[in-house]
Amino acid sequence: MGTLTYHQTQDNASLATVDVSIRQLPHLQQIIYCTPEQMGTNASFNGNAYYRFGDVVKIKNNDDKWEYWVCVRPAFGPEGKGTSHWVTLSPLPEKNLCRINKNDREYVVPTGIGTDTEHMQNLAEMLYAMCYPNIWETNVLSTPAPGLFSKGLRMFHDFSHSKDKEIYHNPGFWIRVNDAWNSLDLFKTIFGFKSDDEHFSNIFDPNGGLHLLYKGHSWWSKSSNNLTLYEYTYSVGTSMTELNMHKATKRSVEGNMAGNYFNLADEYTLQAPYVLNEQLFGNKQPRYVIRHATGEELVQSGAKWDYKQPISGATPVYVYNQFFYKDTTNKFCDLTKQETDIVEDPTNYEKQIVKTQYIGEPFFQLGDVLVDSLGNKWICTLPAGGYSGAPYSYFISFDDVVVKNQGEKKVNIITELAICRTLLPLLGKMGNYINRLNDSSYIVDFVNFVKKQTGVDMSDFIIARDSTVLVDNVNEKRTCFFLNLAYRDMFDNSVRLMRVIRNSVSEIRSNRQWRYDMFNIYEGSNMQRMSLSDAADQTMVDKYARDKWTVLPLGKSNKRSYRTTAEACATDLANYLWNGNGFATDALSMWNNRVLVVRGGKVYDRGINHHSIKINDKLSVRKHIVSDVRKYSWETVSTYAFDLISMDLFQFNGAQYIIPSYLEDSDRP
């Protein structure tokens, strides 16, 4: 097949060489054996690299102007990387500007800025990992790396997909980097936009992307008006090889400049390091001019490059090991061993910060619909933050509900404790909707949006009655609302029935309060547990259907009387589940009230830059449908969760009940 010829070398450049002559490997001509010191910039090493992904330094260029440089691939011993790679989007120095006088104007275009697309790609992937750490990790660990004869998903060009390597850059790490960038306003510094700005969000939109100008320009003759710029756009694709911002679109941008203007010297500034030119580029999305350098190339004043030391002449803006390890002796994490605070369960950092309340604006809003990887739709019924103080947004789903164990399919409906956070705060507003007390409220948009997306009219599950309340020593009529739900018993996994009543308990007009009464046993019974099948039992109907709420006068919009005779009622709740088009059977409880049967879910949510994209830490989100409710301010919408802070106003089977904290495992749907 060929020959391999070994040669012992006599100099210090290598240990030995092997000459290769194999017909099947025409491009492989020599193999060189080196020590790490002899290999140079891509050598592996033992020890700690000073810089990590996302570190930022600023350096003065030859024009005595500051440039911000971002580390997009650090020196990293476990991957055999002996140097760091950096990019900058800062304004170009004079040596990289070409000034062309045409049409009585001066056009200033880029020149000689390099063609290192590998690290342009790394910038895009790094941004994605910072903003969508869980999706990034899932894609890396579930998708094969490229092989010699097979396609796959690259991880920072040539990093390993193995868990023991990826764990150094787990979601906890990326969340920390994102937090630091936000706290230091680095998204604005590097990209000219805050991370919640529409322009920045468009980077991750399939129709957007990160647009990078590289290489330089072409302007063929003095008489021509045609300018050509060179652009790569990195975006999220749909194929296996295009995940994590690996969809790269290369194009030459050509434009007639007779009626246009392009001047990087004036338009591209340190405060706004981008150019917007819809006429030239075809859309209003920002373009960034990118340059690349190794850590060694950034060293100033002839100093020596050392991956374990800061870059000589560079001013630190954000350095991970200094930012998060400033109180430690060596001020960096030892990457030669698996330290618990970095090389941990990728979700551990989330678990740490989740122990604090979140009162800011959530990423997911009331009524938002998530479509999971199986095609099931999830409706947001309680967003995170605001009055709830929870770092989770809560969801329900009518899809793929299982109410009876069958093989691998297990009962998955909502638990009784999860009901408290997922559904109860919504009950009062839903009651106002069915009673037509506030037709212009955001709750109307919520009901209509959910109905449009899922086909389910949420108001069908709520009954209104008129109750009498003593207010300022005078009896007044107040509307109370009823909701009946099926739930999963957390102890024996059986399917049970719960009855919820929201009633006014105000004694003083200026201090109107509501109380939630929740029952899973019949009123006045000897701990008789509720079951949907009781509606088919005449004895149970005679005994319990006329409870003290059911016999109240009818509410304005409801004409359903209590049940007096047993009617056919299937013992299997599956007969009453939503099938995508409607309910096969009108599932009525003892009290002539339809039963709500749903799954519960929650998603970690601390705002636009700090949220998960997995439901219950398992199901990946495939699509996010924004609710019509977003036309209202989130502060206004979040007030309906105010009831959650009035713990003394919850009664469970007649006794005071404290809603379980979101910190407890029992709150998992």
Side-chain angles (χ1 to χ4, degrees), residues 398-584:
F398 294 92
D399 298 331
D400 200 23
V401 174
V402 179
V403 291
K404 185 177 182 181
N405 292 338
Q406 294 180 331
E408 294 183 358
K409 288 194 170 186
K410 306 298 181 183
V411 173
N412 63 2
I413 64 175
I414 197 167
T415 64
E416 58 186 304
L417 295 183
I419 285 173
C420 299
R421 283 201 168 268
T422 308
L423 284 172
L424 293 193
L426 195 61
L427 175 57
K429 288 296 183 181
M430 290 294 300
N432 287 348
Y433 171 82
I434 69 161
N435 224 28
R436 298 297 185 266
L437 298 179
N438 191 354
D439 278 345
S440 62
S441 165
Y442 58 81
I443 205 67
V444 176
D445 290 294
F446 168 79
V447 173
N448 292 337
F449 185 77
V450 171
K451 188 173 182 179
K452 179 174 68 176
Q453 293 295 328
T454 67
V456 179
D457 187 341
M458 293 284 290
S459 66
D460 283 347
F461 296 95
I462 296 176
I463 296 292
R465 300 287 190 195
D466 287 338
S467 64
T468 301
V469 180
L470 188 66
V471 181
D472 291 342
N473 296 318
V474 177
N475 286 329
E476 288 190 1
K477 282 189 176 181
R478 295 279 177 85
T479 303
C480 56
F481 305 105
F482 303 79
L483 176 65
N484 299 319
L485 309 104
Y487 70 91
R488 173 169 55 90
D489 191 302
M490 295 180 62
F491 297 100
D492 61 13
N493 216 37
S494 61
V495 176
R496 300 288 185 179
L497 189 64
M498 178 182 289
R499 182 154 162 80
V500 181
I501 295 94
R502 182 180 189 262
N503 195 19
S504 175
V505 293
S506 299
E507 295 183 0
I508 304 174
R509 191 178 306 279
S510 60
N511 184 30
R512 184 169 183 174
Q513 291 181 302
W514 296 86
R515 188 179 76 200
Y516 291 92
D517 284 292
M518 297 168 287
F519 297 88
N520 62 3
I521 62 173
Y522 289 110
E523 182 202 9
S525 71
N526 186 20
M527 302 300 290
Q528 176 70 45
R529 299 287 293 274
M530 295 178 181
S531 174
L532 183 65
S533 60
D534 293 342
D537 186 329
Q538 188 65 52
T539 301
M540 297 297 290
V541 171
D542 291 342
K543 195 169 185 179
Y544 296 118
R546 291 171 56 91
D547 65 18
K548 65 181 181 181
W549 293 279
T550 307
V551 297
L552 290 173
L554 299 174
K556 295 179 182 178
S557 60
N558 286 279
K559 302 302 178 185
R560 298 179 188 172
S561 61
Y562 58 86
R563 179 164 289 178
T564 57
T565 60
E567 298 179 15
C569 179
T571 57
D572 188 350
L573 272 174
N575 289 342
Y576 305 107
L577 302 184
W578 179 257
N579 60 19
N581 298 310
F583 295 96

Side-chain angles (χ1 to χ4, degrees), residues 96-288:
N96 294 119
L97 294 175
C98 179
R99 298 176 182 271
I100 302 171
N101 291 302
K102 290 280 296 181
N103 307 317
D104 297 325
R105 285 181 169 181
E106 183 183 54
Y107 297 86
V108 183
V109 293
T111 184
I113 55 176
T115 59
D116 197 312
T117 58
E118 174 182 336
H119 298 294
M120 291 160 57
Q121 173 74 75
N122 285 345
L123 172 64
E125 182 174 355
M126 186 189 75
L127 276 182
Y128 191 74
M130 289 167 60
C131 296
Y132 298 92
N134 289 302
I135 289 184
W136 174 85
E137 185 194 49
T138 298
N139 290 339
V140 167
L141 297 181
S142 63
T143 308
L148 185 60
F149 302 107
S150 61
K151 294 182 178 181
L153 176 65
R154 294 185 180 277
M155 174 183 169
F156 292 106
H157 188 70
D158 57 358
F159 270 30
S160 169
H161 279 229
S162 62
K163 182 69 174 178
D164 64 324
K165 305 288 179 55
E166 182 274 336
I167 200 168
Y168 290 102
H169 316 295
N170 60 51
F173 165 76
W174 293 117
I175 290 170
R176 283 181 170 184
V177 177
N178 192 308
D179 280 351
W181 272 50
N182 275 302
S183 66
L184 298 174
D185 210 17
L186 286 178
F187 288 102
K188 182 73 165 63
T189 300
I190 304 302
F191 293 95
F193 301 101
K194 290 183 176 293
S195 56
D196 58 354
D197 187 276
E198 181 181 358
H199 281 300
F200 188 83
S201 300
N202 281 338
I203 290 176
F204 308 113
D205 190 296
N207 296 318
L210 179 62
H211 305 286
L212 302 176
L213 301 179
Y214 76 114
K215 190 175 180 179
H217 76 282
S218 294
W219 201 310
W220 294 108
S221 68
K222 293 183 179 180
S223 61
S224 172
N225 282 314
N226 294 326
L227 168 67
T228 301
L229 298 175
Y230 303 97
E231 175 187 81
Y232 256 99
T233 296
Y234 298 93
S235 58
V236 178
T238 56
S239 71
M240 174 182 66
T241 61
E242 295 176 339
L243 302 174
N244 292 354
M245 296 289 284
H246 277 265
K247 181 181 180 181
T249 305
K250 176 183 178 182
R251 72 166 179 153
S252 297
V253 182
E254 299 178 357
N256 188 316
M257 304 307 292
N260 202 345
Y261 186 56
F262 192 88
N263 187 323
L264 288 180
D266 292 342
E267 298 176 313
Y268 204 102
T269 66
L270 195 63
Q271 292 71 35
Y274 55 84
V275 62
L276 299 173
N277 192 321
E278 184 178 9
Q279 184 177 345
L280 178 60
F281 296 108
N283 57 49
K284 297 180 180 179
Q285 296 170 17
R287 263 64 185 178
Y288 299 95

Side-chain angles (χ1 to χ4, degrees), residues 297-337:
E297 291 169 337
L298 292 179
V299 171
Q300 305 290 296
S301 305
K304 185 179 178 181
W305 158 253
D306 187 342
Y307 59 80
K308 294 183 289 186
Q309 299 296 328
I311 294 172
S312 176
T315 301
V317 177
Y318 155 71
V319 177
Y320 181 92
N321 288 320
Q322 298 291 319
F323 194 86
F324 291 104
Y325 292 89
K326 58 186 177 183
D327 297 325
T328 61
T329 302
N330 59 6
K331 294 189 183 297
F332 49 70
C333 171
D334 186 354
L335 292 184
T336 64
K337 61 183 180 180

Side-chain angles (χ1 to χ4, degrees), residues 83-96:
T83 193
S84 56
H85 289 267
W86 302 72
V87 299
T88 181
L89 307 180
S90 294
L92 296 175
E94 192 62 35
K95 70 175 184 178
N96 294 119

